[in-house]
């Protein structure tokens, strides 16, 4: 009798845990650029477009995800174009407001740089150590549209609040802006 109750308790707990997993897979394309404090250096000739991936889960009233993306910029103001690619692992958390098939979201993110590479149109490149870069954090906002119960489309904007470089006087004071279009799949 006691084993039956324990078995029933385990089966019920397993079903509740399985129902609460609620994982969402997210993948898409990012478009990134930066804001420079000097207005004359604000003239960028291009930006970085890259893939991004994340896994998301609902935790209480908010949704939290952990993911991977690239950011950077292309500076073509001087005679040599400079391209900066930074790879991040990020955690973001947002509060969703659902209205029918649409969801509006607002929240925060933190992104830890894994590595960076600065290349020049002259053919040379520099590998930047992750310890030369600050942990990026900021606010995010966006919206999504459910195509059906499992699949949807999301547009999101990350606005960085911190200088990318630990020594902004030496490398230039810049903060990141990242926008993305993603597809998501609810498991």
């Amino acid at each position: 009798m006691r084993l039956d109750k324990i078995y029933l308790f385990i089966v019920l707990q397993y079903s509740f845990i399985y129902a609460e997993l609620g994982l969402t897979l997210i993948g898409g394309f990012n478009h990134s650029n930066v804001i420079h404090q000097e207005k004359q250096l604000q003239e960028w000739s291009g930006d970085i477009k890259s893939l991004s991936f994340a896994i998301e889960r609902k935790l209480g009233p908010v949704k939290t995800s952990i993911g991977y993306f690239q950011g950077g910029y292309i500076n073509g103001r001087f005679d040599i174009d400079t391209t900066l690619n930074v790879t991040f692992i990020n955690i973001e958390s947002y509060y969703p407001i659902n209205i029918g098939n649409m969801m509006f979201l607002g929240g925060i993110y933190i992104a830890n740089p894994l590595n960076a590479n600065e290349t020049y149109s002259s053919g040379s490149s520099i590998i930047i150590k992750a310890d030369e870069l600050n942990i990026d954090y900021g606010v995010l906002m966006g919206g999504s549209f459910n195509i059906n119960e499992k699949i949807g489309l999301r547009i999101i904007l990350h606005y960085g609040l911190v200088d990318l470089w630990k020594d902004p006087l030496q490398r230039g004071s810049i903060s990141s802006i990242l926008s993305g279009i993603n597809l998501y799949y609810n498991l």
Side-chain angles (χ1 to χ4, degrees):
M1 181 74 169
R2 180 173 255 181
L3 289 175
D4 290 336
K5 286 183 181 181
I6 292 172
Y7 177 74
L8 181 62
F9 177 75
I10 291 171
V11 168
L12 286 174
Q13 289 297 339
Y14 175 76
S15 62
F16 287 136
I17 289 171
Y18 183 74
E20 281 298 313
L21 277 178
L23 293 177
T24 302
L25 301 176
I26 303 167
F29 294 96
N30 285 332
H31 170 268
S32 63
N33 211 328
V34 295
I35 293 181
H36 204 291
Q37 288 181 338
E38 294 181 35
K39 296 293 183 195
Q40 58 190 348
L41 294 178
Q42 197 75 315
E43 302 172 15
W44 308 109
S45 65
D47 46 32
I48 303 298
K49 295 170 184 66
S50 64
L51 295 174
S52 66
F53 304 98
I55 297 174
E56 179 179 86
R57 184 173 191 279
K58 186 172 182 175
L59 297 173
V62 298
K63 291 189 176 186
T64 302
S65 68
I66 185 166
Y68 165 90
F69 69 89
Q70 285 186 330
Y73 67 92
I74 301 169
N75 183 347
R77 187 173 192 286
F78 301 108
D79 56 347
I80 297 176
D81 287 349
T82 304
T83 303
L84 175 69
N85 268 321
V86 184
T87 303
F88 293 97
I89 214 152
N90 74 319
I91 298 174
E92 56 188 49
S93 187
Y94 64 86
Y95 185 78
I97 299 172
N98 294 311
I99 302 173
N101 283 346
M102 295 186 66
M103 177 179 64
F104 298 99
L105 54 101
I108 58 173
Y109 78 93
I110 186 166
N112 186 30
L114 298 175
N115 59 34
N117 188 15
E118 196 169 48
T119 58
Y120 306 100
S121 59
S122 63
S124 62
S125 67
I126 298 173
I127 294 175
I128 300 165
K129 296 178 185 173
D131 60 359
E132 294 180 37
L133 302 169
N134 281 321
I135 292 177
D136 188 21
Y137 60 88
V139 296
L140 64 92
M141 61 192 107
S144 65
F145 178 76
N146 292 335
I147 297 170
N148 60 35
E149 194 175 296
K150 295 274 190 189
I151 299 172
L153 179 68
R154 180 174 298 163
I155 297 172
I156 197 160
L157 174 73
H158 294 84
Y159 189 86
L161 299 175
V162 67
D163 281 332
L164 186 60
W165 305 105
K166 282 193 176 175
D167 186 359
L169 296 176
Q170 178 187 357
R171 302 289 292 199
S173 179
I174 57 176
S175 57
S176 62
I177 299 174
L178 182 83
S179 59
I181 297 177
N182 300 303
L183 285 174
Y184 61 88
Y185 179 76
N186 295 316
L187 296 177

